[in-house]
């Protein structure tokens, strides 16, 4: 009988996922967090930060596509894009599928996440070697403050709202993003689970509504994230994603997002929609 | 330090969920399966059949609404409805929200599931006492064969395709359903996870396409089901759900399904849509 090893993540104090693993590949404590890479049988390699799954070989395409493309296709001509967090490089890879992009800046506070991802997740992090990519190992909040009127699209690929990422879910950060966006600019942030983080989603939507003329919430299925349902909140200084014609949305090399899916994303189940309507 | 008890379900051989429990409430082996009821801290009471979560207090509304209402609103006048399986009564409860229903027949092979649900899940099973409900404790396949040209809508609320429910995922059963449906009749079956049961979903869609003029696949988020994403397959002898006007869909007392969501449900992520296109 071979040894049986299981990784278990308590996604809430009372609920979690468990995955059979073949081996642990990497373990370190960086200046900011614990960084682990494990090889699972069901989802392939898994990047785990502070005990929380960030990405896996098998389902990474959902989160990375869905954080990126909704905002990118809504902006009429995104040339300069900033990704806050996202050291694994998956969002940058998706950004670079848009041929008009001239610069894609990755602002990741923990350089070790970038290096570990390059080593263990080459299909995700490979795009970080593209000449259009600028890597800044620094605090996202400070980077935003130092770059007013700079970006067309800003994508917030943060960890959970505990520890170093707390500030990335607060109103002063969104005010900074609003200033860092050029005219017609668009931001999208990952905003956790509509099952487990309801107050947070409602708060972010309230904050963005008070800053941007257009705020929209949408969701996607990510099996390794808490509840399997994940939310994204978009704020736009310009176009509303609902006003696009399906025909004008480019066909991209994707496995989740499609032009036909674009409008449907904003039709929300009642228990999710009510989070956008709290006063 | 209080005792810490966790329920763990291996949803695949290599992946599962784990839930902290307060107590076990019920455990028995019936003629057909193991039936357990446990009290969890995150999802409330949980009905577990043969070690697989069937329903929970907290998220049951999603599955029960979504198996029921899409087909019910698509049929122009559903008077006689059959639920195969579904001994907990949740689908019957949703069926009865449609005022034109004259009879709602529950055909559940295991009478103990009905009795245990009445005892431990009164909010789900309570509708079983409605005078329009007919309870038949018998095999769904035999019931279907014995009732040609009888039902307007048939909803297949089966367990997983192992053990007693295997036949409920096979073509002869769907042929029987086709015969048991009246003119313009509609069936909807739960068809497992687009992440973990891809061949099964493709096969059911192939089978229904060969029997019904209209076949449609849609999904919903159920956090306690494998992958958190669940699929439903609809076959119609009459109306196509895509041809409904949103304005003609009745507003029901629901927390997931809404008229505004109806059309969006059929816009599928690329990796799900491809399951409907396999030859």
């Amino acid at each position: 009988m071979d040894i049986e090893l299981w990784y278990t993540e308590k996604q809430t104090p009372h609920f979690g996922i468990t995955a059979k693993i073949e081996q642990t590949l990497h373990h370190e404590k960086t200046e900011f967090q614990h960084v682990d890479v494990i090889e699972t049988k069901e989802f392939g390699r898994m990047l785990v930060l502070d005990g929380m799954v960030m990405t896996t070989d098998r389902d990474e395409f959902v989160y990375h596509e869905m954080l990126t493309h909704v905002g990118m296709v809504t902006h009429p001509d995104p040339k300069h894009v900033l990704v806050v967090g996202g050291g694994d490089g998956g969002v940058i890879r998706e950004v670079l599928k848009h041929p008009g992009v001239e610069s894609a800046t990755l602002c990741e506070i923990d350089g070790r996440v970038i290096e570990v991802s390059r080593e263990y997740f080459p299909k995700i992090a490979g795009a970080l070697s593209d000449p259009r990519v600028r890597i800044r190992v620094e605090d996202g909040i400070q980077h935003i403050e130092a770059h007013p009127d700079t970006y067309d699209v800003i994508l917030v690929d943060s960890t959970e709202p505990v520890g170093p990422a707390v500030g990335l879910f607060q109103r002063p950060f969104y005010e900074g993003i609003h200033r860092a966006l050029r005219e017609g600019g668009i931001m999208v942030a990952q905003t956790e689970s509509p099952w487990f983080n309801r107050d947070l989603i409602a708060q972010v939507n309230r904050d963005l509504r008070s800053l941007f003329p257009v705020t929209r919430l949408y969701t996607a299925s990510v099996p390794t994230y808490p509840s399997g349902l994940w939310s994204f909140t978009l704020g736009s200084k310009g176009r509303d994603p609902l006003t696009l014609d399906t025909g004008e949305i480019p066909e991209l090399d994707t496995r989740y997002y499609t032009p036909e899916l674009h409008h449907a994303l904003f039709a929300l189940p009642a228990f999710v929609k009510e989070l956008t309507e709290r006063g």
Side-chain angles (χ1 to χ4, degrees), chain A:
Chain A
M1 187 80 174
D2 206 10
I3 185 172
E4 196 165 299
L5 303 167
W6 289 77
Y7 160 74
T8 300
E9 175 187 341
K10 288 187 192 177
Q11 298 171 321
T12 77
H14 305 132
F15 192 77
I17 54 169
T18 186
K20 195 171 183 175
I21 70 170
E22 296 188 345
Q23 54 183 319
T24 62
L25 296 170
H26 186 87
H27 173 71
E28 74 175 283
K29 178 152 182 8
T30 73
E31 186 184 344
F32 299 97
Q33 55 202 339
H34 291 273
V35 176
D36 286 273
V37 181
I38 56 180
E39 180 82 37
T40 73
K41 285 186 176 284
E42 192 67 58
F43 285 94
R45 286 186 182 177
M46 209 176 246
L47 175 66
V48 182
L49 301 183
D50 275 346
M52 293 174 280
V53 177
M54 291 296 115
T55 202
T56 82
D57 281 342
R58 184 168 170 195
D59 72 355
E60 58 92 5
F61 69 95
V62 180
Y63 174 81
H64 293 137
E65 290 181 13
M66 291 299 286
L67 181 57
T68 305
H69 298 307
V70 177
M72 288 294 289
V73 305
T74 299
H75 193 289
D77 186 22
K79 286 189 167 65
H80 302 289
V81 180
L82 171 67
V83 178
V84 177
D88 57 51
V91 174
I92 290 285
R93 180 192 65 198
E94 298 301 317
V95 166
L96 294 176
K97 290 180 179 174
H98 296 263
V101 169
E102 294 176 6
S103 75
T105 302
L106 181 77
C107 182
E108 163 66 57
I109 199 169
D110 190 345
R112 287 299 299 151
V113 173
I114 299 170
E115 289 155 33
V116 168
S117 299
R118 284 187 193 272
E119 183 172 354
Y120 292 102
F121 297 91
K123 286 187 183 163
I124 302 176
L128 294 175
S129 304
D130 188 282
R132 291 167 288 178
V133 176
R134 301 166 186 180
I135 295 178
R136 303 284 179 267
V137 178
E138 59 189 43
D139 179 64
I141 295 171
Q142 290 171 14
H143 182 93
I144 290 281
E145 289 300 331
H147 292 82
D149 197 26
T150 302
Y151 296 109
D152 299 307
V153 174
I154 297 177
L155 304 171
V156 184
D157 181 6
S158 65
T159 52
E160 318 305 293
V162 289
V166 167
L168 303 184
F169 291 88
Q170 291 172 344
R171 189 184 154 98
F173 179 57
Y174 301 131
E175 290 170 352
I177 286 181
H178 190 274
R179 288 189 295 269
L181 284 171
R182 298 162 74 184
E183 190 182 335
I186 292 174
M187 70 160 282
V188 184
Q190 77 84 1
T191 44
E192 308 287 307
S193 162
W195 288 95
F196 295 143
N197 310 91
R198 296 177 65 75
D199 289 345
L200 178 135
I201 294 170
Q203 182 62 50
V204 171
N205 275 264
R206 248 191 317 259
D207 286 344
L208 293 198
R209 273 203 308 274
S210 71
L211 290 166
F212 291 90
V214 177
T215 302
R216 299 284 175 204
L217 178 68
Y218 61 95
T219 64
S221 156
V222 184
T224 57
Y225 283 5
S227 83
L229 184 69
W230 213 243
S231 80
F232 304 86
T233 305
L234 176 150
S236 174
K237 288 181 163 185
R239 279 222 285 191
D240 182 339
L242 289 180
T243 63
L244 271 64
D245 288 332
T246 303
E248 70 178 301
I249 303 175
E251 290 277 354
L252 300 160
D253 176 21
T254 52
R255 293 172 62 203
Y256 196 101
Y257 178 84
T258 67
E260 292 69 35
L261 192 61
H262 182 86
H263 289 87
L265 293 170
F266 302 98
L268 300 171
F271 85 108
V272 181
K273 188 179 180 205
E274 68 187 36
L275 301 176
T276 67
E277 294 162 348
R278 286 196 201 163

